[in-house]
């Protein structure tokens, strides 16, 4: 396996779990401050990409753990587990294995969906919730026709999905432009890791499993918009105003102008300013 990106301030570690050997990025030290657990998004994302710019600042004075979920990043060899609820079980197992106790859980896109499920199923592990352009809060993708075609695409069998993914990976630049407002604001190291992740021989399978578990023929199967009121932990929604992937109207949020889907990467200074206040309240 080629060397994987490690964000500034992070250490690469490994955890043997019932889901396989998972890569963790850890930083900071255990203190009386609330720890932070970071959950990356789907597609060609991984923990190093999502949290590259904010890992070191978040780890200043507190413990931070970012997980490469099964089938992503350094955990590419671990078998994918499926939808957001199963992925939330993975996060819960890692937190219990490491003895984090209640943490502020931050998730982006698919990771936001995972964090929502964790907060609902294991509220004892969630002291606070930060959701960045999260999945799991919309009943349908655009209109009925779009929903149907995305559902149909999600049914693609593995024997066809892998060669299609290899063809699609030739258009990494177009994918990036569909995610962020201005790709030039992303660090070169993040762009290189994104390309490497997209070209993994098994890249796309884990996200395909997530889509198969969440995209229904007539609507989304992971819509939790009627359940978020049951989450006892304080929550913050952080969303790029120009996000083309997840409609900001489906969140209760801090809106960031001139910003796309990877808001924590594109507007990291704004994100860290919001986190400083949110984490101080969680510590209190």
């Amino acid at each position: 396996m080629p060397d994987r990106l490690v964000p500034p301030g992070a250490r690469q570690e490994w955890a043997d779990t019932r889901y396989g050997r998972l890569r963790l990025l850890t930083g900071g030290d255990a203190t009386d401050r609330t720890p932070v657990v970071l959950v990356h998004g789907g597609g060609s994302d991984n923990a190093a990409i999502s949290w590259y710019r904010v890992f070191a600042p978040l780890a200043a004075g507190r413990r931070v753990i970012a997980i490469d979920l099964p089938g992503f990043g350094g955990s590419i060899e671990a078998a994918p587990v499926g939808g957001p609820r199963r992925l939330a079980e993975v996060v819960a197992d890692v937190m219990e294995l490491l003895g984090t106790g209640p943490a502020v859980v931050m998730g982006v896109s698919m990771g936001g969906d995972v964090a929502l499920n964790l907060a609902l199923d294991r509220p004892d592990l969630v002291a606070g919730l930060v959701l960045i352009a999260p999945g799991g809060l919309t009943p349908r993708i655009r209109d009925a026709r779009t929903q149907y075609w995305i559902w149909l695409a999600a049914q693609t069998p593995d024997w066809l999905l892998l060669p299609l993914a290899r063809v699609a990976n030739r258009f990494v630049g177009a994918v990036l432009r569909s995610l962020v407002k201005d790709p030039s604001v992303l660090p070169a190291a993040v762009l290189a890791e994104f390309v490497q992740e997209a070209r993994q021989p098994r890249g796309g399978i884990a996200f395909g499993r997530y889509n198969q578990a969440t995209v229904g023929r007539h609507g989304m199967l992971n819509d939790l918009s009627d359940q978020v009121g049951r989450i006892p932990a304080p929550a913050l929604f952080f969303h790029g105003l120009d996000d083309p992937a997840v409609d900001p109207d489906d969140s209760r949020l801090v809106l960031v102008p001139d910003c796309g889907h990877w808001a924590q990467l594109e507007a990291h200074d704004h994100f860290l300013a919001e986190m400083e206040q949110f984490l101080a309240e969680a510590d209190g």
Side-chain angles (χ1 to χ4, degrees):
M1 181 187 298
D3 290 340
R4 307 309 303 253
L5 180 66
V6 177
R11 302 179 295 269
Q12 180 175 257
E13 299 182 10
W14 301 90
D16 291 315
T17 74
R18 58 178 169 149
Y19 305 98
R21 194 166 187 249
L22 304 183
R23 185 180 81 144
L24 310 179
L25 300 174
T26 63
D29 298 302
T31 67
D32 59 353
R33 293 183 177 181
T34 310
V36 169
V37 173
L38 305 172
V39 190
H40 64 77
S44 298
D45 202 359
N46 62 40
I49 292 173
S50 271
W51 310 109
Y52 183 83
R53 274 184 160 156
V54 300
F55 194 98
L58 289 174
R62 75 179 69 243
R63 188 182 188 190
V64 175
I65 300 159
I67 306 166
D68 272 349
L69 296 168
F72 292 90
S75 305
I76 191 74
E77 298 299 331
V81 300
R85 201 165 189 185
R86 290 290 312 281
L87 289 168
E89 293 174 2
V90 175
V91 176
D93 276 17
V94 171
M95 292 176 69
E96 291 179 332
L97 181 67
L98 299 182
T100 64
V104 172
V105 180
M106 303 185 185
V108 57
S109 192
M110 180 190 78
D113 192 3
V114 175
L116 278 167
N117 279 270
L118 182 69
L120 286 165
D121 292 344
R122 292 296 307 273
D124 57 304
L125 293 177
V126 180
L129 199 59
V130 177
L131 305 173
I132 305 159
L137 291 175
T138 183
R140 190 171 68 186
I141 302 172
R142 298 180 188 171
D143 52 41
R145 180 176 294 181
T146 302
Q147 179 74 39
Y148 173 78
W149 283 110
I150 292 177
W151 167 79
L152 193 63
Q155 309 312 305
T156 304
D158 289 354
W159 62 266
L160 181 57
L161 178 63
L162 282 172
L164 285 176
R166 284 193 287 271
V167 172
N169 290 343
R170 300 174 186 174
F171 304 97
V172 171
V175 173
L176 278 170
R177 288 190 293 274
S178 73
L179 289 173
V180 301
K181 178 74 172 179
D182 179 7
S184 69
V185 306
L186 300 179
V190 167
L191 294 173
E193 179 73 4
F194 184 84
V195 171
Q196 179 171 299
E197 183 75 13
R199 292 176 179 171
Q200 286 289 324
R202 291 182 54 80
I205 293 294
F207 191 49
R209 293 287 184 271
Y210 169 83
N211 286 330
Q212 288 165 357
T214 58
V215 181
R217 183 170 183 168
H218 301 295
M220 297 304 294
L221 306 177
N222 62 332
D223 179 23
L224 297 174
S225 54
D226 62 344
Q227 299 184 49
V228 291
R230 296 197 294 107
I231 296 174
L236 184 148
F237 293 77
F238 193 83
H239 210 134
L241 185 60
D242 300 310
D243 185 348
V246 176
D247 190 342
D249 288 340
D250 293 328
S251 297
R252 303 102 173 114
L253 59 144
V254 173
L255 276 176
V256 187
D258 297 318
C259 183
H261 188 58
W262 272 345
Q264 82 289 358
L265 275 171
E266 299 174 71
H268 57 288
D269 288 336
H270 191 157
F271 178 77
L272 289 170
E274 294 286 347
M275 290 309 98
E276 183 176 2
Q277 179 179 344
F278 188 83
L279 289 171
E281 293 171 359
D283 293 339

